[in-house]
Short mmCIF file of all heavy atoms in Angstrom, two decimals:
data_model
loop_
_atom_site.label_atom_id
_atom_site.label_comp_id
_atom_site.label_asym_id
_atom_site.label_seq_id
_atom_site.Cartn_x
_atom_site.Cartn_y
_atom_site.Cartn_z
N PRO A 1 57.53 -108.48 -71.30
CA PRO A 1 56.30 -108.94 -70.65
C PRO A 1 56.60 -109.97 -69.59
O PRO A 1 57.61 -110.67 -69.63
CB PRO A 1 55.51 -109.56 -71.82
CG PRO A 1 56.55 -109.95 -72.82
CD PRO A 1 57.67 -108.96 -72.67
N ALA A 2 55.72 -110.05 -68.62
CA ALA A 2 55.85 -111.05 -67.57
C ALA A 2 55.63 -112.43 -68.17
O ALA A 2 54.90 -112.59 -69.14
CB ALA A 2 54.83 -110.79 -66.47
N PRO A 3 56.29 -113.44 -67.63
CA PRO A 3 56.12 -114.80 -68.15
C PRO A 3 54.66 -115.22 -68.12
O PRO A 3 53.93 -114.90 -67.20
CB PRO A 3 56.96 -115.66 -67.20
CG PRO A 3 57.91 -114.72 -66.56
CD PRO A 3 57.23 -113.39 -66.52
N ASP A 4 54.25 -115.95 -69.17
CA ASP A 4 52.87 -116.38 -69.28
C ASP A 4 52.58 -117.66 -68.51
O ASP A 4 51.44 -118.09 -68.46
CB ASP A 4 52.51 -116.60 -70.76
CG ASP A 4 52.52 -115.29 -71.53
OD1 ASP A 4 52.24 -114.25 -70.91
OD2 ASP A 4 52.79 -115.32 -72.74
N SER A 5 53.60 -118.26 -67.95
CA SER A 5 53.43 -119.53 -67.28
C SER A 5 52.42 -119.42 -66.13
O SER A 5 52.56 -118.62 -65.24
CB SER A 5 54.77 -120.02 -66.73
OG SER A 5 54.57 -121.17 -65.96
N LYS A 6 51.39 -120.26 -66.18
CA LYS A 6 50.37 -120.26 -65.13
C LYS A 6 50.91 -120.90 -63.86
O LYS A 6 50.42 -120.64 -62.79
CB LYS A 6 49.13 -121.03 -65.60
CG LYS A 6 48.50 -120.43 -66.83
CD LYS A 6 47.40 -119.50 -66.46
CE LYS A 6 46.67 -119.08 -67.70
NZ LYS A 6 46.44 -117.70 -67.79
N GLN A 7 51.94 -121.76 -63.98
CA GLN A 7 52.48 -122.45 -62.83
C GLN A 7 53.37 -121.55 -61.99
O GLN A 7 53.54 -121.79 -60.81
CB GLN A 7 53.26 -123.69 -63.27
CG GLN A 7 52.37 -124.71 -63.95
CD GLN A 7 53.18 -125.87 -64.50
OE1 GLN A 7 54.38 -125.91 -64.37
NE2 GLN A 7 52.50 -126.82 -65.11
N ASP A 8 53.95 -120.54 -62.58
CA ASP A 8 54.84 -119.64 -61.86
C ASP A 8 54.01 -118.53 -61.24
O ASP A 8 53.62 -117.59 -61.90
CB ASP A 8 55.89 -119.06 -62.80
CG ASP A 8 56.99 -118.33 -62.04
OD1 ASP A 8 56.89 -118.23 -60.80
OD2 ASP A 8 57.93 -117.87 -62.69
N ARG A 9 53.74 -118.66 -59.95
CA ARG A 9 52.88 -117.70 -59.26
C ARG A 9 53.67 -116.71 -58.42
O ARG A 9 53.10 -116.11 -57.51
CB ARG A 9 51.88 -118.46 -58.39
CG ARG A 9 50.96 -119.34 -59.19
CD ARG A 9 49.95 -120.00 -58.28
NE ARG A 9 49.10 -120.90 -59.01
CZ ARG A 9 47.94 -120.55 -59.56
NH1 ARG A 9 47.51 -119.33 -59.47
NH2 ARG A 9 47.23 -121.45 -60.20
N ARG A 10 54.95 -116.57 -58.74
CA ARG A 10 55.75 -115.61 -57.99
C ARG A 10 55.26 -114.20 -58.27
O ARG A 10 54.73 -113.91 -59.34
CB ARG A 10 57.22 -115.73 -58.37
CG ARG A 10 57.82 -117.06 -57.95
CD ARG A 10 59.25 -117.20 -58.39
NE ARG A 10 59.33 -117.00 -59.84
CZ ARG A 10 60.32 -116.35 -60.43
NH1 ARG A 10 61.33 -115.89 -59.76
NH2 ARG A 10 60.33 -116.20 -61.74
N PRO A 11 55.44 -113.30 -57.32
CA PRO A 11 55.00 -111.92 -57.53
C PRO A 11 55.81 -111.23 -58.63
O PRO A 11 56.95 -111.63 -58.92
CB PRO A 11 55.24 -111.25 -56.17
CG PRO A 11 56.03 -112.20 -55.36
CD PRO A 11 55.98 -113.54 -55.99
N PRO A 12 55.23 -110.20 -59.24
CA PRO A 12 55.90 -109.51 -60.34
C PRO A 12 57.28 -108.95 -59.98
O PRO A 12 58.18 -108.92 -60.81
CB PRO A 12 54.94 -108.36 -60.71
CG PRO A 12 53.61 -108.83 -60.21
CD PRO A 12 53.87 -109.69 -59.02
N TYR A 13 57.46 -108.52 -58.73
CA TYR A 13 58.78 -107.97 -58.36
C TYR A 13 59.86 -109.03 -58.46
O TYR A 13 61.01 -108.72 -58.77
CB TYR A 13 58.75 -107.32 -56.97
CG TYR A 13 58.78 -108.28 -55.81
CD1 TYR A 13 59.99 -108.67 -55.24
CD2 TYR A 13 57.60 -108.77 -55.25
CE1 TYR A 13 60.02 -109.54 -54.17
CE2 TYR A 13 57.64 -109.63 -54.18
CZ TYR A 13 58.84 -110.01 -53.64
OH TYR A 13 58.87 -110.88 -52.59
N GLN A 14 59.51 -110.31 -58.20
CA GLN A 14 60.50 -111.38 -58.34
C GLN A 14 60.90 -111.58 -59.80
O GLN A 14 62.05 -111.81 -60.10
CB GLN A 14 59.95 -112.70 -57.77
CG GLN A 14 59.95 -112.76 -56.28
CD GLN A 14 61.35 -112.91 -55.70
OE1 GLN A 14 62.33 -113.13 -56.40
NE2 GLN A 14 61.44 -112.77 -54.40
N HIS A 15 59.91 -111.48 -60.71
CA HIS A 15 60.22 -111.61 -62.13
C HIS A 15 61.15 -110.48 -62.57
O HIS A 15 62.12 -110.71 -63.29
CB HIS A 15 58.93 -111.58 -62.97
CG HIS A 15 58.07 -112.78 -62.77
ND1 HIS A 15 58.40 -114.02 -63.25
CD2 HIS A 15 56.88 -112.93 -62.14
CE1 HIS A 15 57.46 -114.90 -62.92
NE2 HIS A 15 56.53 -114.24 -62.24
N ALA A 16 60.84 -109.25 -62.13
CA ALA A 16 61.68 -108.11 -62.49
C ALA A 16 63.08 -108.29 -61.91
O ALA A 16 64.08 -108.05 -62.59
CB ALA A 16 61.04 -106.81 -61.98
N ALA A 17 63.16 -108.71 -60.64
CA ALA A 17 64.46 -108.92 -60.00
C ALA A 17 65.26 -109.98 -60.74
O ALA A 17 66.47 -109.84 -60.94
CB ALA A 17 64.28 -109.30 -58.54
N ASP A 18 64.59 -111.05 -61.18
CA ASP A 18 65.27 -112.12 -61.91
C ASP A 18 65.88 -111.59 -63.21
O ASP A 18 67.01 -111.91 -63.55
CB ASP A 18 64.31 -113.27 -62.23
CG ASP A 18 63.93 -114.07 -61.02
OD1 ASP A 18 64.59 -113.94 -59.96
OD2 ASP A 18 62.94 -114.84 -61.10
N GLU A 19 65.11 -110.78 -63.93
CA GLU A 19 65.62 -110.26 -65.20
C GLU A 19 66.77 -109.28 -64.98
O GLU A 19 67.77 -109.31 -65.69
CB GLU A 19 64.50 -109.60 -66.00
CG GLU A 19 64.93 -109.31 -67.41
CD GLU A 19 63.75 -109.04 -68.33
OE1 GLU A 19 62.69 -109.65 -68.15
OE2 GLU A 19 63.94 -108.21 -69.23
N LEU A 20 66.64 -108.43 -63.96
CA LEU A 20 67.73 -107.50 -63.65
C LEU A 20 68.98 -108.25 -63.18
O LEU A 20 70.10 -107.90 -63.56
CB LEU A 20 67.29 -106.50 -62.59
CG LEU A 20 66.23 -105.49 -63.04
CD1 LEU A 20 65.68 -104.73 -61.85
CD2 LEU A 20 66.81 -104.55 -64.09
N ARG A 21 68.79 -109.28 -62.37
CA ARG A 21 69.91 -110.10 -61.91
C ARG A 21 70.61 -110.73 -63.10
O ARG A 21 71.84 -110.75 -63.20
CB ARG A 21 69.40 -111.20 -60.95
CG ARG A 21 70.51 -112.05 -60.36
CD ARG A 21 69.97 -113.19 -59.48
NE ARG A 21 69.09 -112.72 -58.42
CZ ARG A 21 67.75 -112.87 -58.42
NH1 ARG A 21 67.15 -113.48 -59.44
NH2 ARG A 21 67.02 -112.44 -57.41
N ARG A 22 69.82 -111.24 -64.04
CA ARG A 22 70.38 -111.84 -65.25
C ARG A 22 71.20 -110.80 -66.03
O ARG A 22 72.31 -111.10 -66.50
CB ARG A 22 69.23 -112.38 -66.12
CG ARG A 22 69.66 -113.41 -67.11
CD ARG A 22 68.47 -114.08 -67.82
NE ARG A 22 67.53 -114.65 -66.87
CZ ARG A 22 66.25 -114.27 -66.74
NH1 ARG A 22 65.75 -113.33 -67.50
NH2 ARG A 22 65.46 -114.83 -65.85
N ASP A 23 70.68 -109.57 -66.14
CA ASP A 23 71.42 -108.51 -66.84
C ASP A 23 72.76 -108.24 -66.16
O ASP A 23 73.77 -108.04 -66.83
CB ASP A 23 70.60 -107.21 -66.86
CG ASP A 23 69.41 -107.27 -67.81
OD1 ASP A 23 69.33 -108.23 -68.61
OD2 ASP A 23 68.57 -106.36 -67.74
N ILE A 24 72.77 -108.23 -64.83
CA ILE A 24 74.01 -107.98 -64.09
C ILE A 24 74.98 -109.14 -64.27
O ILE A 24 76.16 -108.94 -64.58
CB ILE A 24 73.71 -107.75 -62.60
CG1 ILE A 24 72.94 -106.43 -62.41
CG2 ILE A 24 75.00 -107.75 -61.78
CD1 ILE A 24 72.36 -106.25 -61.02
N LEU A 25 74.50 -110.36 -64.08
CA LEU A 25 75.38 -111.53 -64.15
C LEU A 25 75.92 -111.76 -65.55
O LEU A 25 77.02 -112.30 -65.71
CB LEU A 25 74.65 -112.77 -63.63
CG LEU A 25 74.27 -112.73 -62.15
CD1 LEU A 25 73.49 -113.98 -61.76
CD2 LEU A 25 75.49 -112.57 -61.28
N GLN A 26 75.15 -111.37 -66.57
CA GLN A 26 75.62 -111.54 -67.94
C GLN A 26 76.42 -110.34 -68.44
O GLN A 26 76.86 -110.31 -69.58
CB GLN A 26 74.43 -111.82 -68.87
CG GLN A 26 73.81 -113.17 -68.59
CD GLN A 26 72.59 -113.44 -69.45
OE1 GLN A 26 72.12 -112.58 -70.19
NE2 GLN A 26 72.06 -114.65 -69.36
N GLY A 27 76.61 -109.35 -67.57
CA GLY A 27 77.47 -108.22 -67.92
C GLY A 27 76.81 -107.12 -68.73
O GLY A 27 77.49 -106.22 -69.21
N ARG A 28 75.50 -107.18 -68.90
CA ARG A 28 74.82 -106.10 -69.63
C ARG A 28 74.79 -104.81 -68.79
O ARG A 28 74.74 -103.72 -69.34
CB ARG A 28 73.41 -106.53 -70.03
CG ARG A 28 73.42 -107.56 -71.16
CD ARG A 28 72.04 -107.78 -71.70
NE ARG A 28 71.23 -108.58 -70.78
CZ ARG A 28 71.02 -109.87 -70.89
NH1 ARG A 28 71.56 -110.55 -71.88
NH2 ARG A 28 70.28 -110.51 -70.01
N ILE A 29 74.79 -104.98 -67.46
CA ILE A 29 74.95 -103.84 -66.55
C ILE A 29 76.21 -104.17 -65.75
O ILE A 29 76.24 -105.15 -65.02
CB ILE A 29 73.74 -103.66 -65.61
CG1 ILE A 29 72.44 -103.59 -66.40
CG2 ILE A 29 73.91 -102.38 -64.79
CD1 ILE A 29 71.20 -103.55 -65.54
N LYS A 30 77.23 -103.37 -65.91
CA LYS A 30 78.54 -103.67 -65.32
C LYS A 30 78.70 -103.07 -63.92
O LYS A 30 78.01 -102.13 -63.57
CB LYS A 30 79.63 -103.14 -66.25
CG LYS A 30 79.56 -103.79 -67.63
CD LYS A 30 80.76 -103.46 -68.44
CE LYS A 30 80.75 -104.05 -69.82
NZ LYS A 30 79.86 -105.08 -70.15
N PRO A 31 79.63 -103.64 -63.12
CA PRO A 31 79.89 -103.08 -61.78
C PRO A 31 80.21 -101.59 -61.86
O PRO A 31 80.97 -101.15 -62.72
CB PRO A 31 81.09 -103.89 -61.29
CG PRO A 31 80.97 -105.19 -62.01
CD PRO A 31 80.42 -104.84 -63.36
N GLY A 32 79.59 -100.83 -60.96
CA GLY A 32 79.78 -99.39 -60.93
C GLY A 32 78.77 -98.63 -61.75
O GLY A 32 78.57 -97.43 -61.55
N GLU A 33 78.13 -99.30 -62.71
CA GLU A 33 77.13 -98.63 -63.54
C GLU A 33 75.84 -98.41 -62.75
O GLU A 33 75.48 -99.21 -61.89
CB GLU A 33 76.79 -99.45 -64.80
CG GLU A 33 77.84 -99.38 -65.86
CD GLU A 33 77.40 -100.08 -67.14
OE1 GLU A 33 76.17 -100.25 -67.36
OE2 GLU A 33 78.27 -100.50 -67.89
N GLN A 34 75.15 -97.35 -63.10
CA GLN A 34 73.90 -97.04 -62.44
C GLN A 34 72.79 -97.93 -62.99
O GLN A 34 72.70 -98.17 -64.19
CB GLN A 34 73.54 -95.57 -62.62
CG GLN A 34 72.34 -95.16 -61.81
CD GLN A 34 72.18 -93.65 -61.75
OE1 GLN A 34 72.87 -92.92 -62.44
NE2 GLN A 34 71.26 -93.21 -60.92
N MET A 35 71.96 -98.40 -62.09
CA MET A 35 70.79 -99.19 -62.48
C MET A 35 69.76 -98.26 -63.10
O MET A 35 69.77 -97.05 -62.84
CB MET A 35 70.18 -99.88 -61.25
CG MET A 35 71.07 -100.92 -60.60
SD MET A 35 71.32 -102.36 -61.64
CE MET A 35 69.69 -103.08 -61.65
#
């Protein structure tokens, strides 16, 4: 789910990008793997 924080008014695509970026940086999706 999207963060419930009322103060974070970033668009939903930024939240999705942040979570995907986190997956990449933490190695859950490895280099060369398909998104």
Side-chain angles (χ1 to χ4, degrees):
D4 293 330
S5 174
K6 300 265 188 227
Q7 296 175 0
D8 190 357
R9 298 183 183 269
R10 294 177 305 142
Y13 77 91
Q14 283 288 350
H15 292 289
D18 288 346
E19 191 163 325
L20 291 169
R21 183 183 305 106
R22 200 172 305 118
D23 288 349
I24 292 168
L25 295 177
Q26 292 177 354
R28 288 190 286 261
I29 307 174
K30 299 190 181 345
E33 284 186 22
Q34 187 167 8
M35 294 292 292

